[in-house]
Amino acid sequence: MKVIADSSFLIALAMIDALPLLSRFFSEVFIPEAVYKEVVVQGAGLPGAEEVASAAWIKRTTVKDADKVKTYRAERLGLGEAEALTLAEELKADLVLVD
C-alpha cells in the first residue's frame, strides 16, 4: 500500500506522541520534499521534526510534475499540500493523509 502524508498530519500525531503508530499500519509513508522541509527544517525543535528526520520508514520523495504543483497552488493550497497531492498522483497512492 502506498501512503502519502502531509505536514500537519505528521505534526499532529507527533504532538500526541502517536507518530510511531503510522509504522505499525504502514511499512512506508512517502512525503514530498516540501513536507520534509516544513516539518524538519522550518520546524526544527518543534513536534515531529526529530521523529520525521530519523524515521527510516518515512521516505522523502521528489515530486516530478512542477506544473501540477502550480495548479494545486493556484487553488490556494500550501506548497506541502500541493506536493503531497501531486506525489499521490505520481505514485498512484492508495491513501493520502491530510488534514
Side-chain angles (χ1 to χ4, degrees), residues 6-8 35 38 72 76-86 98-99:
D6 183 30
S7 306
S8 47
V35 169
E38 186 176 335
Y72 281 124
R76 297 189 176 193
L77 292 177
L79 182 58
E81 293 164 328
E83 283 197 7
L85 293 174
T86 302
V98 296
D99 62 337

Side-chain angles (χ1 to χ4, degrees), residues 14-93:
M15 289 177 76
I16 59 170
D17 295 321
L19 189 61
L21 288 176
L22 280 181
S23 67
R24 290 185 183 172
F25 293 104
F26 311 111
S27 59
E28 295 179 316
V29 173
F30 296 89
I31 61 171
E33 287 295 325
V35 169
Y36 182 86
K37 288 176 184 173
E38 186 176 335
V39 176
V40 176
V41 179
Q42 297 167 350
L46 298 174
E50 186 176 319
E51 298 94 322
V52 168
S54 65
W57 51 272
I58 295 178
K59 307 295 183 187
R60 286 170 64 181
T61 307
T62 302
V63 171
K64 296 175 184 158
D65 191 347
D67 290 333
K68 179 65 88 171
V69 172
K70 288 178 187 176
T71 299
Y72 281 124
R73 295 280 289 155
E75 298 297 322
R76 297 189 176 193
L77 292 177
L79 182 58
E81 293 164 328
E83 283 197 7
L85 293 174
T86 302
L87 185 61
E89 290 180 31
E90 291 177 355
L91 297 181
K92 296 181 179 15

